[in-house]
Amino acid sequence: MHIPDGYISPQTAGGLWALMVPVWYTAGYKAKRLLKARQAPLVAIGAAFTFVIMMFNIPVPGGTTGHAIGGTLVAVVLGPWTAVIALTVALVIQALFFGDGGLLALGANCLNIGFAMPVAGYYVYRVFSLGAAPGSARQWLAAGVGAYAGINVAAFLTAVQIGIQGDFFQTAAGAALYSPYGLSQAVPAMMAAHLTLVGFVEAAVTSLVVLYLQRTNPGLLLAAAESKKARAGGQRLKPLAIGLLLMIVFVPLGLLASAPAWGEWGPEEIREELGFIPEGMERFAGLWSGILPDYALPGDGGEPWAGVAAYVFSAILGLGIVSLLTYVIVRLTAGKDVRK
Amino acid sequence: MAEAGLSIPEWMRKKPIDAGVSRNGRRRRTSVVERTISGLSEALRSSIFSERIAARPGLLQRIDPRIKILGFLTLLIAIGLIHSPFILLGLYAGTVLLAAMSRISPGYFVKRVWLFIPLFTGVIVLPSLFNIIRPGDPLVTLWDFGRDVHLGPWLLGDSLAVTRQGATGAVIFVLRVAASVSLAVLLTLSTRWPDLLKALRVFHVPRVFVLIISMTYRYIFLLLGLATDMFTARRSRLAGVSTPREDRRFVTGSMGALLGKSQALGEEVYAAMVSRGYSGEPRTLNRFSLAGRDLVFAACVAILAVAVIGGDRIIG
Amino acid sequence: MAENNQVGGPAIGEGNAVYEVSSVSYSYEETGALDDVTFEVKAGESLALLGANGSGKSTLLKMMNALIFPSSGSVRAFGEELSEESLQDEGFSLAFRRRVGFVFQNSDAQLFSPSVWEEIAFGPLHLELEPGEVEERVEATVHILGLEHLRDRPPFHLSSGEKKKVALASVLAISPEVLLLDEPTAGLDPKTAGFLARLTVQLAAAGKTVITATQDLALAKEVAGRAIVLGEDHRTAGDGPAARILGNRELLLSANLIHDHPHSHAGMEHYHPHSHLEEHHHGDEH
Ligand SMILES: Nc1ncnc2c1ncn2[C@@H]1O[C@H](COP(=O)(O)OP(=O)(O)O)[C@@H](O)[C@H]1O
Ligand SMILES: [Mg+2]
């Protein structure tokens, strides 16, 4: 699921880097406190662990093998924020020291695999294991469900990021500049694979490891729960929430401003390019009007607005998911404060 | 406690069951265990190999890592913005040349780069050549249906053809990916990782992160070793075949065991750091200094980036 | 190397108590690791801590390095009690860490830096030495241990003997007065083990207080003037001059440090756990 360099445009990659800044800011803040709390080596070990298990081959029915990412597993053991740091570190090392996964695309990979996956996975796990006794069947089942959800959220974000390349970045003649598949192709293809096979591999691996830990090392599973208790929530999430909101407003605007500017320089070329995009986008016309009926999207493909609107739409679609996740986090953490 | 009473049970004295060695002509399929071992040891080997390359006195090895990272990021962005396949090809060739000048055998370099991602990219880009996936002007028509063909709700069109746009896009895409991956691999191969790590400080990556990254990198090798041991032990006990079900149990079991060992180790490491004065605030010595050649390199990169982007706009 | 960092605390002269361990017990969750252990260590003393696997040697050293704290009883170092609270004090903690160095049993846990050079610099840097002095010390330590050819290598790609040397170097660069060595020769080839043994003797001769936990009786005999035996019940089974303890066959047998038979005599003059140790006594021991 790692996006290599060259698959997404520098503009998209830059936007996603920017989006990660508030996440890293929060994670960095927490990392400082974690270090005091004896957890620095634990984070490092967690990261190394994810890195190594990504290399394990897992037999899947049908005779082939797959890989797990373990994002949710790490979150279940270390807690979601520590997992964000651990996964980010693992991704940085893969990109920087092993040339695996892009450098420009690192922001995107960190958003999908390092942030969305463990956080979504963890909270789904929390919901499903609410009130479940440690060591119970519901606990490992919930971990599997969380892992399934986590990897699918990550896959969806990845597909959206790749899909907008095929739809919006092309030469004047209509040749793709980056990944050639549009949203209508990338999303179904990616989701078909992840909702069926890959998601279940991740779920099975997570469940089995949690089951193993329940039997052999239950303390590890409790560690996350206990260290959560010690943490003060709420307040710390504010900068993250605000940062994300700002990004949701500004990143699409920034992309809008930059995409045509980087595209072709002369006004003629701009018109030529924008004249093409809507043609390629016609497949989406129905989808847009379904979801955004109040926005008057032009039926005539020649108007520049169509491309722009489509662009904003897909950017917001991706960012909306992230904000939804943030909302979930804030809600869950806030709920805990009240109890305290 | 003397082992006076230790006696070997009868079954242990016997020859192993079916001790005769005979071939039965059946090949053992390479198991998951074996594939994982070779994957793990490959990672170890390639990192030790990279370390050796990074110690060679080549061109890139002599550039200050901070300048190198900044320069390579600039080049990556430039590569990202190019539209012309010819310029992309030129840039790709440039990375091979840089590899050669940095005492990295071009054969090894090209193989390592292509086996990684570009080859995979080349395969997944194939469908986009056809008009039924991406509309465009037909270049080679493979099959004229004679009428509009529908597949369920989808309109496929009236012919199956490779399009000019599809072919151009595929070439641009694969070349861009190849050039980008080449740059990343060059950076990895030509820089000793402690230097790369310290260079991260230039980008205001907090010290804490740098510390965690460095420890993680170190633990990856420890865990790779542990994991290899576990898998090797499993292989040596497994004469025959194991079912996928058993393999799955084993693989997830070893993940769990690894996690447990990791945690115990993590606590020990923290103790070792505290013992030598660590109190939550990492400190480092900065031993970098910029030389003339670093500035020349930076200038070359800047000129190249502007030239290729400008050139691309003129051609395009 | 002989330079001392006497920051805080009373000046330590030959003969003063560096450590006072009184009635210390410790357990990890359910497992007991130490039970009512009491002893004193004088400055400049060279002490061997003998005991079978699991007798509590590592636990005791970690406690003496203030990494864990007793469940009951107390450990005083340089006259100050070691507790979570006293170690919270920045001044005391800095002074204590500068004065006591600990070489872990598991080198893999101790080596976490990206290169050998940085590994050795870690201690001096974090103990707030001037950058110039840090470099000087690292260079000197690298030279003493003959690690020049490894200085830019990552410590984890080294052999286990090299790792142990780097771990020792990383502690020696701090130049502590007290050295806690946890099984320094375990798993090493005889040549490296011999090198470390000689180095330990030299450090002790230079006035360092050296406390070596080991099961290697030959090493204990070579480096220590005094020995404490921890029994398998986690209690002190013996305490006295090394020669006398190492000559007490009954004691060593009961602590599971030697076994009756079979044993080999061939070519093992220095690794020869028997009651006739005196026969090959080296006059240079103290
Ligand atoms: N981190 C730990 N958690 C639980 N038990 C431990 C831990 N470390 C040591 N022990 C137990 O404490 C006892 C003493 O261990 P240790 O001090 O390591 O002995 P030695 O160093 O003499 O081999 C042993 O029974 C061991 O299993
Ligand atoms: Mg021990």
Side-chain angles (χ1 to χ4, degrees):
Chain A
M1 199 192 299
H2 295 48
I3 302 177
D5 274 336
Y7 275 58
I8 57 176
S9 63
Q11 296 92 314
T12 315
L16 296 168
W17 267 99
L19 196 60
M20 277 310 283
V21 169
V23 177
W24 281 326
Y25 172 82
T26 311
Y29 179 85
K30 300 218 164 217
K32 258 199 187 133
R33 289 155 30 93
L34 291 173
L35 278 170
K36 294 257 154 78
R38 298 194 152 234
Q39 286 208 351
L42 206 58
V43 178
I45 292 275
F49 172 76
T50 4
F51 183 97
V52 172
I53 64 166
M54 283 189 219
M55 304 184 64
F56 281 24
N57 284 291
I58 294 136
V60 292
T64 54
T65 57
H67 294 267
I69 292 179
T72 307
L73 179 61
V74 174
V76 166
V77 174
L78 295 178
W81 280 106
T82 319
V84 170
I85 301 167
L87 285 158
T88 298
V89 167
L91 292 167
V92 166
I93 289 180
Q94 280 178 329
L96 212 49
F97 302 118
F98 290 85
D100 194 0
L103 291 173
L104 286 187
L106 188 59
N109 288 325
C110 285
L111 180 72
N112 307 336
I113 302 173
F115 174 64
M117 176 145 138
V119 171
Y122 180 79
Y123 285 104
V124 170
Y125 161 77
R126 278 286 298 274
V127 167
F128 278 83
S129 65
L130 211 66
S136 61
R138 196 142 64 81
Q139 195 183 23
W140 61 261
L141 281 170
V145 176
Y148 183 81
I151 198 164
N152 276 294
V153 168
F156 181 73
L157 290 177
T158 307
V160 168
Q161 290 152 13
I162 288 184
I164 56 181
Q165 309 308 318
D167 287 334
F168 300 102
F169 293 91
Q170 28 204 330
T171 62
L177 282 170
Y178 309 98
S179 177
Y181 302 104
L183 282 167
S184 65
Q185 291 149 348
V187 174
M190 192 81 168
M191 293 323 287
H194 284 78
L195 286 169
T196 56
L197 200 65
V198 186
F200 286 108
V201 170
E202 185 78 15
V205 165
T206 307
S207 278
L208 286 169
V209 174
V210 169
L211 189 62
Y212 175 94
L213 290 177
Q214 283 183 342
R215 292 213 202 102
T216 58
N217 203 343
L220 264 187
L221 291 170
L222 292 178
E226 275 165 17
S227 65
K228 275 201 76 70
K229 250 186 253 158
R231 255 175 250 166
Q235 298 292 28
R236 313 275 172 264
L237 288 170
K238 245 194 187 152
L240 174 71
I242 293 170
L244 278 175
L245 277 174
L246 286 176
M247 285 302 161
I248 286 161
V249 175
F250 287 115
V251 169
L253 289 180
L255 290 178
L256 271 182
S258 57
W262 285 116
E264 307 293 332
W265 287 350
E268 269 181 42
E269 282 98 324
I270 289 179
R271 195 173 314 129
E272 200 180 333
E273 180 179 44
L274 289 177
F276 177 78
I277 293 173
E279 268 167 40
M281 298 307 308
E282 262 166 7
R283 293 167 300 218
F284 286 106
L287 179 66
W288 296 334
S289 47
I291 294 175
L292 303 165
D294 293 341
Y295 283 80
L297 286 169
D300 175 5
E303 291 194 32
W305 258 110
V308 169
Y311 204 99
V312 174
F313 167 71
S314 20
I316 286 179
L317 186 69
L319 296 165
I321 291 162
V322 177
S323 53
L324 196 69
L325 286 172
T326 318
Y327 176 69
V328 172
I329 302 166
V330 175
R331 273 300 296 270
L332 284 172
T333 328
K336 221 169 56 254
D337 279 352
V338 172
R339 251 183 291 139
K340 268 176 101 178
Chain B
M1 250 177 263
E3 300 95 333
L6 184 73
S7 65
I8 297 171
E10 191 52 35
W11 56 265
M12 216 182 259
R13 294 170 198 270
K14 281 191 190 148
K15 275 191 182 168
I17 309 159
D18 194 16
V21 179
S22 65
R23 286 166 170 259
N24 62 5
R26 264 181 291 148
R27 286 204 83 79
R28 278 178 60 201
R29 69 189 165 88
T30 40
S31 70
V32 174
V33 173
E34 263 148 57
R35 246 175 293 166
T36 304
I37 293 182
S38 66
L40 294 174
S41 49
E42 178 54 37
L44 277 172
R45 211 166 340 116
S46 83
S47 87
I48 292 173
F49 189 56
S50 313
E51 203 191 294
R52 238 180 271 146
I53 292 178
R56 289 178 193 166
L59 174 74
L60 284 175
Q61 285 92 333
R62 281 184 228 177
I63 304 298
D64 182 286
R66 297 169 294 178
I67 298 288
K68 209 177 346 180
I69 293 192
L70 281 174
F72 275 35
L73 280 178
T74 310
L75 289 178
L76 274 174
I77 294 174
I79 289 175
L81 294 172
I82 300 295
H83 289 188
S84 154
F86 301 103
I87 294 184
L88 282 173
L89 185 63
L91 283 169
Y92 172 69
T95 64
V96 180
L97 188 69
L98 261 182
M101 294 199 296
S102 306
R103 309 221 176 170
I104 302 168
S105 126
Y108 167 80
F109 179 70
V110 169
K111 209 170 75 190
R112 167 137 182 201
V113 165
W114 281 88
L115 280 185
F116 231 17
I117 293 154
L119 204 61
F120 168 75
T121 306
V123 173
I124 65 161
V125 80
L126 285 179
S128 76
L129 293 175
F130 299 98
N131 59 347
I132 56 174
I133 301 295
R134 266 191 88 91
D137 316 331
L139 193 64
V140 185
T141 303
L142 299 177
W143 188 4
D144 203 335
F145 304 138
R147 63 188 171 83
D148 277 354
V149 173
H150 292 262
L151 181 70
W154 288 289
L155 173 68
L156 291 186
D158 58 2
S159 63
L160 176 67
V162 172
T163 64
R164 195 161 50 78
Q165 284 89 343
T168 319
V171 170
I172 293 177
F173 182 38
V174 173
L175 279 174
R176 191 191 308 283
V177 169
S180 305
V181 172
S182 292
L183 269 188
V185 169
L186 262 185
L187 179 67
T188 308
L189 285 180
S190 70
T191 319
R192 289 178 50 259
W193 86 273
D195 291 341
L196 210 46
L197 203 59
K198 274 194 283 181
L200 290 182
R201 292 283 301 134
V202 188
F203 303 98
H204 294 280
V205 177
R207 280 206 176 84
V208 169
F209 264 128
V210 177
L211 179 81
I212 293 179
I213 291 173
S214 92
M215 289 173 60
T216 302
Y217 187 82
R218 184 245 166 293
Y219 282 114
I220 285 170
F221 290 97
L222 197 68
L223 294 187
L224 281 177
L226 282 175
T228 314
D229 287 350
M230 271 190 279
F231 278 84
T232 315
R234 159 92 171 173
R235 181 174 58 181
S236 72
R237 269 180 286 135
L238 262 190
V241 269
S242 52
T243 67
R245 197 188 145 85
E246 285 165 353
D247 279 349
R248 246 187 322 269
R249 283 198 95 118
F250 169 73
V251 173
T252 51
S254 30
M255 285 183 186
L258 210 54
L259 200 54
K261 281 185 192 174
S262 309
Q263 193 218 17
L265 200 67
E267 281 168 14
E268 185 102 341
V269 174
Y270 182 78
M273 292 167 68
V274 167
S275 174
R276 282 194 273 149
Y278 178 72
S279 59
E281 185 55 36
R283 294 160 194 269
T284 43
L285 272 189
N286 208 340
R287 291 198 292 164
F288 288 130
S289 58
L290 288 188
R293 60 170 170 267
D294 297 321
L295 301 180
V296 172
F297 178 80
C300 288
V301 166
I303 292 168
L304 182 67
V306 171
V308 292
I309 296 178
D312 187 62
R313 294 301 178 256
I314 292 166
I315 294 179
Chain C
M1 292 301 301
E3 166 206 14
N4 279 354
N5 301 295
Q6 299 194 347
V7 181
I12 303 295
E14 192 76 14
N16 288 350
V18 176
Y19 275 105
E20 296 153 74
V21 177
S22 20
S23 319
V24 160
S25 300
Y26 188 85
S27 47
Y28 297 95
E29 275 113 55
E30 277 103 71
T31 7
L34 288 174
D35 186 6
D36 196 21
V37 174
T38 302
F39 62 92
E40 272 191 14
V41 184
K42 301 247 182 295
E45 205 168 16
S46 183
L47 171 69
L49 210 54
L50 301 171
N53 284 335
S55 58
K57 304 181 297 294
S58 298
T59 307
L60 186 53
L61 289 187
K62 280 183 191 157
M63 206 174 272
M64 294 170 82
N65 197 218
L67 298 171
I68 53 179
F69 303 95
S71 314
S72 70
S74 74
V75 180
R76 300 176 80 80
F78 315 110
E80 285 263 3
E81 170 147 9
L82 299 181
S83 65
E84 302 228 26
E85 206 231 314
S86 66
L87 265 291
Q88 288 292 318
D89 183 89
E90 271 182 31
F92 177 70
S93 146
L94 189 63
F96 178 78
R97 299 282 170 222
R98 283 178 176 177
R99 295 173 79 171
V100 181
F102 184 14
V103 179
F104 281 63
Q105 179 169 0
N106 181 0
S107 310
D108 281 326
Q110 187 154 13
L111 306 178
F112 43 78
S113 301
S115 72
V116 167
W117 203 94
E118 279 156 288
E119 189 68 61
I120 301 174
F122 186 94
L125 264 180
H126 285 81
L127 293 168
E128 298 177 10
L129 268 64
E130 293 301 312
E133 189 169 4
V134 171
E135 299 217 13
E136 229 167 77
R137 283 198 182 189
V138 176
E139 293 303 335
T141 318
V142 162
H143 180 70
I144 291 169
L145 288 173
L147 297 171
E148 283 94 347
H149 60 298
L150 302 176
R151 44 184 300 159
D152 290 326
R153 295 267 302 275
F156 41 88
H157 284 330
L158 305 180
S159 75
S160 52
E162 290 166 338
K163 278 184 193 164
K164 191 55 92 182
K165 281 190 189 175
V166 175
L168 189 61
S170 72
V171 169
L172 290 183
I174 301 169
S175 186
E177 308 163 38
V178 180
L179 272 167
L180 306 172
L181 310 176
D182 197 353
E183 312 228 10
T185 58
L188 299 186
D189 62 74
K191 188 169 161 243
T192 316
F195 172 82
L196 291 181
R198 284 193 301 282
L199 186 65
T200 314
V201 171
Q202 282 172 14
L203 289 167
K208 307 268 176 199
T209 308
V210 183
I211 303 174
T212 314
T214 186
Q215 312 176 40
D216 182 341
L217 300 184
L219 175 73
K221 184 187 148 290
E222 235 166 290
V223 305
R226 174 182 163 205
I228 293 178
V229 178
L230 281 179
E232 289 196 311
D233 56 357
H234 314 297
R235 295 167 151 271
T236 331
D239 183 351
R244 183 153 63 77
I245 297 279
L246 291 171
N248 187 339
R249 192 173 159 72
E250 293 309 309
L251 173 65
L252 298 182
L253 263 178
S254 77
N256 212 1
L257 282 160
I258 54 172
H259 53 100
D260 288 344
H261 57 275
H263 67 260
S264 149
H265 280 259
M268 294 197 62
E269 273 152 70
H270 285 268
Y271 290 85
H272 192 238
H274 282 272
S275 50
H276 43 274
L277 270 168
E278 290 76 19
E279 285 167 24
H280 27 124
H281 190 90
H282 303 281
D284 61 1
E285 229 174 74
H286 264 277

